[in-house]
Amino acid sequence: MIKRQIVIVGGGFSGTALAIQLLRQNNDQVAITLIEPRDDLGEGVAYSTQDPAHRINVPAARMQLSEHEQGDFDRWYRQQPAFSADPASLCQDGAVYPQRRQFAKYLRAQLRHALQGSSVSFQHIHDYARDYRDGYLYTERGAHYPVDQLVLAISHPAPVIPSVFEGVSADANVVTDPWQPHALTSIDKDACIAIIGTGLTMSDVVASLRRQGHRGRIHAISRRGQLPRSNLSGPSYPEYRLSPLSPSPRTVREWLKYVRQNVVIAAQQQLPWQVVVDDVRRQGQAIWQQFDLAEQRRFLRHLRPWWDVHRYRIAPQVARVLADCLASSQLQIHAARLRAVYRVADQFALTLDLRRGGTKKLLVDNIVLTTGPAHQQLIASQPLLTSLQAQQLITPDPLGLGIAVNAQSQAITPAGEVNTRLFVVGPAARGRFGELMGLPQVADHAQSVAMQLVNRSYQPISERCPHDVQ
Ligand SMILES: Cc1cc2nc3c(=O)[nH]c(=O)nc-3n(C[C@H](O)[C@H](O)[C@H](O)COP(=O)(O)OP(=O)(O)OC[C@H]3O[C@@H](n4cnc5c(N)ncnc54)[C@H](O)[C@@H]3O)c2cc1C
């Protein structure tokens, strides 16, 4: 029997979750080829870190492969030797925040399990996809694979070096990609460090430095100087549902007002703001898709920085490290724009334009860039995607968040046509779907794409989001 060849490019969380869902479908007319250069599947940028200071940023009970498996990672983790070896993963409220690599291990256990019960053929090719032409995918090692349906599961390109660093980026004391293994280990414990960015990656870097016994001063710099907020770690709270409102809010401004009102209502019930944001997040895809492009742009321009720090929270363990460093003044946060960076003898001089006015000079020994993945540069970041764009098979989404797709997560061409053989899975499709970065939304998306790949009558992802979110 000739099998339908499904080729998945990228074996991070999205590609691996998709493969697991396809295997579970057990459609023996399908053959899966997963191209991923890393030895281990399920890692990608987020879960490949071996640093024990890097923890998942939501409780394990919220990370699963589908909504029917609620709590499965949590149950799995508590049975692993890693749990007893890492008592710090357990919080006062009973929630666990394992080290991130544990989630990749869990995914691989799920993949093994899916393989055992499936008659679908599956191969992991340890290679890098470079090109796609006339129904074949070509790899760096010179192999080629026939493709009936191609799935792009590539989300996080390496960070782009801001132009202000052009003169110093090759310097050994400038870390341009802190996700590289051992990127921080050569930094002297007493060095004064400037971290560019104050988000999740900065939190990872500070946690790593503290684990290494860093004693020197750390300056973290970003335009607004906003830190990611902490997840709750005290008593557990009931799930909060946004209070009904008729008619439901339509614009970004109306939503902001409505969410603020709900924070007040929740506070009257002795509930923290986090439970309100959690419900907004649950409805995130529906809310996003009811906005037109102008409203989506408005959100990105005005609200996104605030949404990000409240929505992408950090594990209580990491929040404690940041709080300790701030309390001891080892860590200082600067709300500022970086105007200039240059070498002064064996140090770097940084000129900051402070948000509140005035300038400030800093002298530091090392610089670490934590500006995060360059999602706007996703297509330009690698040959496969640039080739697909040159062949008019894919195009960036109009918001610059990733790749343009339709409601089935099929790629849209620059001419606006749908490419029914080319799918995008994971955060690269979030311009269309909205909230599609953390789990469980990415897991749900992978499951939906799997269903569409094997079963064309499956209801499109977006149609599963009710138009009226109330
Ligand atoms: C640092 C970090 C921490 C996070 N922590 C959490 C968390 O704790 N909880 C949570 O809910 N969410 C978290 N997230 C978000 C979430 O889990 C990610 O959105 C998810 O991991 C997306 O993975 P991905 O597989 O789509 O992309 P990626 O992680 O980017 O993986 C893509 C994979 O594709 C491979 N690849 C790229 N190009 C090619 C090519 N041409 N050929 C072959 N292979 C290729 C790469 O090697 C890589 O393995 C985190 C995200 C990041 C970046």
Side-chain angles (χ1 to χ4, degrees):
M1 178 182 28
I2 296 177
K3 297 195 177 206
R4 183 144 44 97
Q5 302 292 329
I6 300 179
V7 175
I8 305 170
V9 179
F13 173 73
S14 303
T16 307
L18 176 66
I20 292 170
Q21 296 295 355
L22 285 169
L23 289 164
R24 288 177 178 177
Q25 291 300 309
N26 211 1
N27 180 335
D28 63 4
Q29 292 168 19
V30 161
I32 307 166
T33 301
L34 176 47
I35 319 262
E36 166 59 58
R38 294 175 199 254
D39 287 339
D40 292 319
L41 294 176
E43 295 193 334
V45 173
Y47 308 108
S48 55
T49 171
Q50 297 301 307
D51 191 326
H54 295 170
R55 295 187 180 274
I56 60 167
N57 53 28
V58 293
R62 287 207 223 148
M63 296 195 32
Q64 65 268 329
L65 276 163
S66 73
E67 59 181 298
H68 306 296
E69 293 159 84
Q70 199 88 39
D72 196 52
F73 172 47
D74 184 292
R75 287 188 290 275
W76 175 90
Y77 174 67
R78 288 176 199 261
Q79 289 164 8
Q80 304 304 307
F83 177 47
S84 37
D86 181 20
S89 65
L90 181 62
C91 286
Q92 197 194 331
D93 61 358
V96 284
Y97 290 79
Q99 295 166 16
R100 285 216 292 273
R101 57 186 162 168
Q102 293 301 322
F103 188 65
K105 282 191 188 164
Y106 167 75
L107 278 178
R108 291 197 290 276
Q110 294 301 307
L111 178 63
R112 281 194 297 277
H113 189 255
L115 278 166
Q116 278 159 15
S118 181
S119 52
V120 177
S121 98
F122 172 83
Q123 55 177 344
H124 168 199
I125 306 293
H126 296 75
D127 206 343
Y128 185 80
R130 283 198 74 88
D131 205 355
Y132 167 82
R133 267 173 211 282
D134 307 323
Y136 285 89
L137 186 97
Y138 295 84
T139 68
E140 194 152 84
R141 295 194 179 159
H144 61 279
Y145 300 90
V147 180
D148 292 312
Q149 288 165 310
L150 180 64
V151 188
L152 302 174
I154 307 164
S155 300
H156 304 302
V160 159
I161 300 170
S163 55
V164 70
F165 289 97
E166 259 161 26
V168 298
S169 62
D171 195 298
N173 290 334
V174 178
V175 176
T176 54
D177 187 354
W179 294 325
Q180 292 300 318
H182 311 296
L184 307 172
T185 43
S186 65
I187 296 180
D188 188 276
K189 288 187 175 33
D190 292 307
C192 178
I193 304 174
I195 301 180
I196 313 304
T198 59
L200 294 177
T201 314
M202 181 280 296
S203 311
D204 274 355
V205 167
V206 172
S208 299
L209 289 168
R210 276 293 284 240
R211 198 186 58 78
Q212 281 175 207
H214 193 76
R215 294 179 293 255
R217 167 87 33 111
I218 304 168
H219 298 276
I221 304 150
S222 72
R223 293 275 173 97
R224 292 175 183 77
Q226 287 290 320
L227 294 175
R229 309 307 198 251
S230 173
N231 267 312
L232 297 165
S233 61
S236 53
Y237 293 99
E239 239 175 44
Y240 178 86
R241 296 281 164 194
L242 295 177
S243 68
L245 184 70
S246 184
S248 59
R250 291 278 141 192
T251 64
V252 168
R253 187 185 287 269
E254 284 170 7
W255 265 103
L256 179 62
K257 190 169 157 208
Y258 179 49
V259 170
R260 283 182 167 150
Q261 284 166 351
N262 273 273
V263 170
V264 173
I265 295 168
Q268 286 160 355
Q269 299 168 24
Q270 321 300 325
L271 296 174
W273 61 264
Q274 283 92 335
V275 298
V276 177
V277 171
D278 287 348
D279 197 38
V280 179
R281 206 196 61 214
R282 273 190 290 273
Q283 303 187 36
Q285 295 198 352
I287 298 168
W288 182 253
Q289 289 173 54
Q290 81 176 23
F291 290 154
D292 61 19
L293 197 56
E295 281 300 312
Q296 291 175 344
R297 286 210 171 96
R298 200 161 287 131
F299 170 83
L300 293 177
R301 197 171 329 118
H302 300 295
L303 272 191
R304 184 180 176 184
W306 304 100
W307 170 247
D308 281 356
V309 293
H310 289 89
R311 182 257 175 270
Y312 297 111
R313 303 196 287 265
I314 48 178
Q317 295 88 335
V318 178
R320 257 193 312 275
V321 173
L322 291 189
D324 288 350
C325 290
L326 286 167
S328 67
S329 298
Q330 182 184 18
L331 174 63
Q332 287 186 8
I333 307 296
H334 304 274
R337 192 178 69 83
L338 189 59
R339 193 193 324 153
V341 184
Y342 50 94
R343 263 274 181 206
V344 179
D346 56 355
Q347 289 193 300
F348 299 98
L350 278 63
T351 311
L352 311 185
D353 289 334
L354 300 175
R355 190 170 173 83
R356 290 178 186 277
T359 60
K360 184 170 195 155
K361 296 247 184 226
L362 294 176
L363 269 183
V364 301
D365 304 300
N366 296 77
I367 296 173
V368 184
L369 300 185
T370 65
T371 43
H375 291 125
Q376 291 203 321
Q377 310 291 325
L378 176 63
I379 292 183
S381 73
Q382 56 162 288
L384 172 67
L385 300 181
T386 45
S387 169
L388 290 171
Q389 186 179 30
Q391 296 175 64
Q392 314 276 304
L393 296 176
I394 61 169
T395 192
D397 69 72
L399 299 163
L401 295 173
I403 299 172
V405 294
N406 69 354
Q408 282 81 10
S409 219
Q410 292 161 322
I412 294 176
T413 71
E417 285 159 12
V418 174
N419 191 330
T420 54
R421 287 152 51 106
L422 209 169
F423 289 75
V424 178
V425 68
R430 74 197 154 123
R432 174 69 176 77
F433 299 109
E435 187 64 22
L436 186 55
M437 179 56 74
L439 298 136
Q441 283 81 16
V442 182
D444 188 37
H445 186 242
Q447 190 184 22
S448 300
V449 172
M451 297 296 277
Q452 318 225 16
L453 281 162
V454 293
N455 174 7
R456 278 156 206 270
S457 63
Y458 187 70
Q459 192 182 18
I461 297 161
S462 65
E463 285 174 16
R464 291 166 45 233
C465 296
H467 288 297
D468 187 348
V469 295
Q470 288 309 303

